[in-house]
Amino acid sequence: MTSNSNSFHVLIAGGGIGGLALALFLKKAGISCCIYEAFPYKEGAGGGFNIAPNGMNVLAALGLAERVKEKGTITRDHVLRNGNGKILARMSNGNSKYGEPGVTLSRAALYDVMTAEIFSQDIPIFYEKRLQDIYQDDRQVTIYFSDGSNATGDILVGADGVHSRTRGILFPQGPAPAYIGIVNVGGFTPLSAIEGFPEHDVNSLNYTFGPNGFFGYSVADKDTVMWWSNLPQIKEMTREELQQFSLESIKAEMLNTYRGYHDPVERLILNTEKVLRLNMVDIQSLPVWHRQRVMLIGDAAHAVSPNAGQGAAMALEDAMYLAMLLRVTRGAYGSAFAKFEADRKPRVEKIVAEGRRRGTDKKILTPFQAKIRDMMIRIFVPLFGEKGLHWLYRYKLDWEQPPLPENGI
């Protein structure tokens, strides 16, 4: 194994949040790396999300937190309502208690910030490099792409998402992403189109539990409102079914489902300019995340349901922690991989389970069941809501104080 980090070279499959963050942390550690992304770079692609305080702390360690806050909207509270708009509960989103606040923004805005930093630091990134195969021996790992090219390094990190090709090659008989019985439909609406948008909702993550299912919304990218909904559906939709729709047909479907919900739900749907639809999946447990010279991180290792609100944060935490371990072990990847998996696995598997549990709160209920749910929210969220977030948000890595694997450096 290579002992000099200056000659140690890391291949990264995937140019999403985890792959970009890992590359930036490796550069910070003085470790050579290169990113290979299967798709061309697309401006404005993807939906939106809230980056929780624990994820924002990772971006702060990269010096990117202020730029992300400038692009997005700080979210100070979680506000839970019933379909009539009555507030059932309100709880803090952490704010400065954990260092950085939570921030809502589009995925594209975060990619732009991170990719600009990749370019400014001259970290090599290659697009349209679709992974085809992996070969590894006791000296190196080589990855082969569908265009006939290849690349060689000391280790490969698969950060290529929930449908990871790296994972499929590494563990062909391993568990695949599991559909959790919910289709997510979301969209973006110009804030200017919603006259009188409630000022108290601007810096909140707003959740509505109504008679026909769940609807959420939050201001993102300063002048845009993102909204999302969870629609229970027994059968997983095919790729073709997910993509074959018109904007007007989705708006009509959403209005039919959420008609009568409190303002501004209907107006958000009516004025939507962009929509997305996807199956909600997770990976409950992958027995191991690495094999020889290849390690999985982020959704490739442990896809988290969006219900957990931690997908981006988990990828960021993974990237920082793995880079810290590779730095402190000076390229002794066996020690780094073993400690990474041992330390990260319990946390992310607990979060995957939490995402599944939260999904059960968003199903369509009878009026009686809905009354019981509303009562439970009013009673238990004020008592336990912030405590339930504490274990998620308090996790904070210190770049200057990396952990040491038991078998040393």
Side-chain angles (χ1 to χ4, degrees):
M1 285 179 280
T2 307
S3 61
N4 183 350
S5 63
N6 290 324
S7 63
F8 191 81
H9 184 64
V10 180
L11 308 176
I12 301 172
I17 295 169
L20 296 174
L22 176 62
L24 291 168
F25 277 117
L26 289 174
K27 181 67 178 284
K28 189 178 176 77
I31 299 173
S32 169
C33 69
C34 203
I35 305 168
Y36 300 92
E37 166 58 39
F39 298 96
Y41 182 76
K42 295 180 181 179
E43 292 187 0
F49 46 42
N50 181 261
I51 305 176
N54 52 308
M56 286 298 299
N57 284 330
V58 176
L59 291 170
L62 289 172
L64 300 179
E66 293 307 314
R67 274 180 266 177
V68 170
K69 284 185 277 190
E70 288 171 6
K71 290 279 189 179
T73 300
I74 292 175
T75 42
R76 299 190 178 96
D77 299 294
H78 299 266
V79 180
L80 292 75
R81 296 177 171 89
N82 65 17
N84 295 325
K86 180 179 179 180
I87 294 178
L88 303 173
R90 183 190 296 271
M91 61 182 176
S92 169
N93 193 35
N95 302 319
S96 60
K97 178 178 179 179
Y98 300 101
E100 291 289 336
V103 176
T104 299
L105 77 168
S106 67
R107 187 176 294 269
L110 179 60
Y111 281 165
D112 289 346
V113 168
M114 299 183 74
T115 303
E117 187 67 15
I118 290 285
F119 291 154
S120 73
Q121 294 195 31
D122 295 320
I123 298 172
I125 181 169
F126 298 94
Y127 294 97
E128 298 183 85
K129 289 292 182 180
R130 187 170 294 277
L131 183 62
Q132 192 74 27
D133 206 355
I134 300 169
Y135 173 77
Q136 53 181 324
D137 56 29
D138 59 358
R139 295 180 299 110
Q140 61 189 20
V141 59
T142 301
I143 53 178
Y144 299 89
F145 303 104
S146 58
D147 63 4
S149 63
N150 63 72
T152 297
D154 290 276
I155 64 170
L156 166 65
V157 179
D160 45 352
V162 63
H163 300 293
S164 170
R165 174 64 178 164
T166 308
R167 184 183 64 240
I169 296 171
L170 211 61
F171 306 113
Q173 305 304 319
Y179 175 59
I180 65 171
I182 296 173
V183 172
N184 178 273
V185 181
F188 291 97
T189 303
L191 183 57
S192 59
I194 311 300
E195 185 178 350
F197 186 87
E199 186 176 344
H200 53 75
D201 286 355
V202 171
N203 296 106
S204 298
L205 289 160
N206 300 282
Y207 313 102
T208 298
F209 299 86
N212 295 325
F214 169 84
F215 189 95
Y217 60 93
S218 183
V219 175
D221 300 3
K222 304 299 185 187
D223 56 359
T224 304
V225 184
M226 74 173 195
W227 59 265
W228 64 99
S229 63
N230 292 348
L231 303 178
Q233 182 166 304
I234 295 175
K235 184 180 178 183
E236 182 177 7
M237 297 183 77
T238 66
R239 183 186 296 267
E240 292 73 23
E241 288 172 334
L242 288 170
Q243 296 177 349
Q244 290 176 357
F245 63 85
S246 67
L247 174 61
E248 293 307 315
S249 68
I250 291 291
K251 287 163 69 171
E253 178 186 353
M254 293 295 99
L255 280 172
N256 183 59
T257 300
Y258 296 106
R259 193 174 304 282
Y261 276 46
H262 67 86
D263 192 63
V265 172
E266 288 189 39
R267 289 194 292 153
L268 286 172
I269 296 169
L270 278 168
N271 291 281
T272 299
E273 293 188 348
K274 175 186 174 182
V275 293
L276 299 145
R277 184 165 61 179
L278 66 152
N279 297 314
M280 293 180 69
V281 301
D282 64 19
I283 298 177
Q284 286 192 281
S285 180
L286 197 64
V288 291
W289 294 349
H290 74 281
R291 177 167 290 173
Q292 295 173 267
R293 292 176 175 267
V294 184
M295 168 62 77
L296 303 173
I297 68 170
D299 281 353
H302 47 72
V304 180
S305 159
N307 286 319
Q310 282 285 317
M314 289 301 98
L316 290 166
E317 287 181 5
D318 276 2
M320 184 173 179
Y321 195 53
L322 181 58
M324 289 169 68
L325 290 170
L326 290 171
R327 172 172 63 108
V328 76
T329 59
R330 296 196 294 268
Y333 66 87
S335 298
F337 285 2
K339 183 157 183 64
F340 176 85
E341 189 170 313
D343 289 352
R344 292 292 296 161
K345 217 167 186 290
R347 175 170 170 80
V348 295
E349 289 186 352
K350 185 177 179 181
I351 291 169
V352 170
E354 175 69 8
R356 285 219 167 193
R357 186 197 66 77
R358 291 185 186 182
T360 63
D361 296 337
K362 299 174 181 178
K363 294 180 179 179
I364 297 173
L365 305 177
T366 67
F368 177 74
Q369 290 172 326
K371 285 183 179 180
I372 297 298
R373 177 197 56 202
D374 293 354
M375 182 179 68
M376 299 291 279
I377 290 173
R378 284 196 299 268
I379 294 172
F380 289 105
V381 170
L383 289 174
F384 304 110
E386 290 186 27
K387 292 179 183 178
L389 293 176
H390 181 63
W391 72 272
L392 285 169
Y393 292 174
R394 70 182 177 184
Y395 182 94
K396 189 175 183 180
L397 298 167
D398 184 348
W399 182 257
E400 302 305 323
Q401 297 292 327
L404 294 176
E406 288 183 6
N407 51 352
I409 299 174

